[in-house]
Amino acid sequence: MSSDQIATADELSLAERLPQADASSLVDRALLEAQVQEMYRHVAREEEAELHFAVGRPLALRLGYPSELLDAIPTEALASFAGVGYHLDLAALAPRERVLDLGSGSGTDVFCAALQVGTRGAVVGVDFTDEQIGKAKRLRDRDGFSQVELVQASIDALPFESASFDAVISNGVINLSPVKHRVFAEAARVLRPGGRLAIADIVSGRPLKERTRRSVELWAACIAGAIPRRSYLTSLEAAGFRVGEVRTNDYDFISARALDACSTYGVESISVAAAKDG
């Protein structure tokens, strides 16, 4: 075995022992958040940028969003859609329910959910990027989605009362958090007993090497924050969820660097349905 092969084997062995759901010791949170916010400001403005992932209506259709549902929401929100899977069927939203969207962006899933819960329901979108929240608010007010509330906050410190939602949804966002265990705990806290969680997110087939996980750029690209599927699901269960359906999504990154990381670590998109114990 060559010295390079030995070094690689050592890195992979060390990766197995790194923290997964709590990566706060591996990445500078303030630096990461600044990088993520800057990237998603470009997405909100619909600007040409060197993104690692696809955006817009063609992506949503490929992931499984019904065209008639997309036709009924603001086109500008959909132009900034950057999800990684379809999960609203797993949420099984019903009229009059109260729904929370973690990392709501410019509002694609918020507006879709609002149509499903109706005017007597409520959908709250939470995002920490100012321009995403601002864009979603403008579209909400313009198009009369009175059941939608938009809040700028962190998804691991939610400003809501316990047991105040029937369902929590999220699409392609939790992988960006270095404290996934706290995100899952907060989701469980704000759900009523028996409440539902439906998420689409990025996971890996095996642990990522430390040098990859310390790359803020690859975190913002939805790569370096990916943890093994088994660790992801175990963390959900530790937070008080019963995991139900788990499916793999037809999702691909587009940059050469992201594709290389996907090949190396088995990075993929999954959708997960779970329920809060209760």
Side-chain angles (χ1 to χ4, degrees):
M1 185 180 290
S2 69
S3 58
D4 286 345
Q5 289 174 318
I6 292 172
T8 298
D10 287 343
E11 278 191 301
L12 294 175
S13 177
L14 288 171
E16 294 281 353
R17 299 196 290 272
L18 292 174
Q20 297 300 324
D22 181 2
S24 52
S25 64
L26 298 174
V27 65
D28 183 310
R29 178 166 179 165
L31 201 60
L32 171 61
E33 289 185 351
Q35 181 91 7
V36 170
Q37 287 172 330
E38 184 58 28
M39 179 174 292
Y40 284 94
R41 287 186 184 112
H42 286 297
V43 174
R45 297 173 195 144
E46 302 172 39
E47 293 177 343
E48 292 293 330
E50 292 186 7
L51 300 174
H52 296 275
F53 46 82
V55 297
R57 183 186 177 99
L59 170 63
L61 288 171
R62 184 163 66 83
L63 292 174
Y65 281 75
S67 59
E68 60 272 18
L69 184 60
L70 298 180
D71 289 342
I73 68 170
T75 57
E76 298 93 333
L78 187 53
S80 296
F81 173 74
V84 301
Y86 184 56
H87 60 317
L88 295 179
D89 58 329
L90 299 177
L93 303 179
R96 301 192 181 198
E97 286 194 312
R98 184 169 168 81
V99 181
L100 175 65
D101 183 9
L102 303 179
S104 52
S106 292
T108 292
D109 286 332
V110 163
F111 296 126
C112 286
L115 293 171
Q116 294 175 334
V117 302
T119 56
R120 294 191 178 184
V123 181
V124 181
V126 173
D127 203 284
F128 75 166
T129 301
D130 49 3
E131 292 203 29
Q132 294 271 46
I133 284 287
K135 181 176 183 178
K137 284 182 176 180
R138 290 193 299 273
L139 298 175
R140 173 199 62 188
D141 296 343
R142 186 196 71 187
D143 290 8
F145 282 87
S146 59
Q147 69 273 52
V148 168
E149 179 184 355
L150 296 154
V151 178
Q152 187 169 352
S154 174
I155 62 174
D156 60 77
L158 297 171
F160 308 114
E161 293 183 2
S162 298
S164 56
F165 292 93
D166 299 296
V168 171
I169 60 176
S170 184
N171 196 340
V173 173
I174 298 174
N175 74 88
L176 293 169
S177 172
V179 287
K180 295 173 181 60
H181 64 308
R182 281 167 43 187
V183 177
F184 294 147
E186 279 290 87
R189 181 184 66 80
V190 301
L191 274 173
R192 62 169 174 77
R196 308 177 312 280
L197 177 75
I199 50 182
D201 209 4
I202 300 298
V203 297
S204 63
R206 59 185 178 83
L208 278 65
K209 292 184 290 189
E210 182 174 351
R211 58 179 171 173
T212 301
R213 297 191 69 196
R214 288 188 180 278
S215 169
V216 171
E217 180 189 353
L218 284 178
W219 268 87
C222 299
I223 295 292
I227 65 175
R229 180 192 288 219
R230 65 181 182 277
S231 299
Y232 195 98
L233 300 179
T234 298
S235 296
L236 273 173
E237 291 169 346
F241 287 102
R242 287 177 285 106
V243 175
E245 182 176 350
V246 181
R247 67 187 182 213
T248 302
N249 299 314
D250 178 18
Y251 180 81
D252 295 306
F253 288 93
I254 57 176
S255 75
R257 190 173 184 189
L259 289 170
D260 180 63
C262 290
S263 173
T264 302
Y265 300 110
V267 173
E268 63 181 358
S269 166
I270 61 172
S271 290
V272 181
K276 178 181 175 179
D277 287 337

